[in-house]
Amino acid sequence: MSDHHHGTTPPSDRALRVRAMEQLLIEKGLIKEGAVDTIIDIFEHQLGPRNGAKVVARAWADPAYKARLMTDASAAIEEFGFAGFQGEYMVVCENTPEVHNVVVCTLCSCYPWPVLGLPPTWYKTAPYRSRVVIEPRAVLEEFGLSIPDDVEVRVWDSNNELRYLVLPMRPEGTEGWSEEQLAELVTRDSMIGTGVAAVPAKGEPA
Ligand code: FE
């Protein structure tokens, strides 16, 4: 598995056991090399974050839904049937022209699984967890995101109880788009706050 390693500590006992099992399955011909990476990739990039993208797109398209989402995020998200483990107590942080929100778990890797799937590897690394609190603008620059000086950056530290979802700003030029079209613009990183929603090409629905 793509368990690249940061820092100087050896991989955990569990990581070693998982890798040994994966290797055994490959040797027995039960799975192909890379199969586990593919599955992880699907959960990181496709299945999980597509749920969050639907929530964001509805909030953009439907002011009444957005009001419910900002008041009681867990209940509003559950309207889609997205609920359960690691998503029981959700809070949505709205990006505006004045405020940019970014989410971290400084203690470990708490992440809103029902809406975003599995956390990306970088989210779990010590450098991200420690630095985004101390120098969020510098960390966001490394993601290719320049936050203007007059925009406040707020960092939200997830924990055992609370999980955060960033509501990115709706891109300009998307008036009249359907929820499905809008959802295509919502990237995983835009819902963590290390990115923003994609810009529509030529103002045409994706
Ligand atoms: Fe955590």
Side-chain angles (χ1 to χ4, degrees), residues 175-198:
E175 294 72 23
W177 284 33
S178 69
E179 282 183 33
E180 291 72 21
Q181 290 161 340
L182 290 169
E184 293 295 319
L185 301 176
V186 184
T187 63
R188 177 195 66 194
D189 287 4
S190 74
M191 295 180 280
I192 303 175
T194 51
V196 292

Side-chain angles (χ1 to χ4, degrees), residues 105 108-110:
C105 174
C108 44
S109 56
C110 297

Side-chain angles (χ1 to χ4, degrees), residues 8 21 29 31 36 55 60 64 81 87-88 94 130-131 134 142 147-148 155 172 177-178 186 192-194 205:
T8 50
M21 285 174 60
I31 59 171
V36 173
V55 171
W60 285 345
E88 291 93 339
E94 183 186 10
S130 55
R131 287 186 54 229
I134 300 165
E142 289 162 23
I147 305 297
V155 182
E172 288 177 17
W177 284 33
S178 69
V186 184
I192 303 175
T194 51

Side-chain angles (χ1 to χ4, degrees), residues 86 104-111 123 129 157-160 163:
Q86 306 260 346
V104 64
C105 174
T106 54
L107 272 182
C108 44
S109 56
C110 297
Y111 195 69
Y123 185 86
R129 286 159 37 206
D157 191 1
S158 314
N159 59 49
N160 251 337
R163 302 297 158 94

Side-chain angles (χ1 to χ4, degrees), residues 71-91:
T71 314
D72 184 346
S74 304
I77 289 167
E78 204 167 349
E79 292 177 31
F80 285 88
F82 308 147
F85 192 53
Q86 306 260 346
E88 291 93 339
Y89 301 100
M90 293 292 307
V91 171

Side-chain angles (χ1 to χ4, degrees), residues 121-136:
T121 304
W122 54 258
Y123 185 86
K124 299 180 276 186
T125 59
Y128 176 76
R129 286 159 37 206
S130 55
R131 287 186 54 229
V132 78
V133 180
I134 300 165
E135 44 176 1

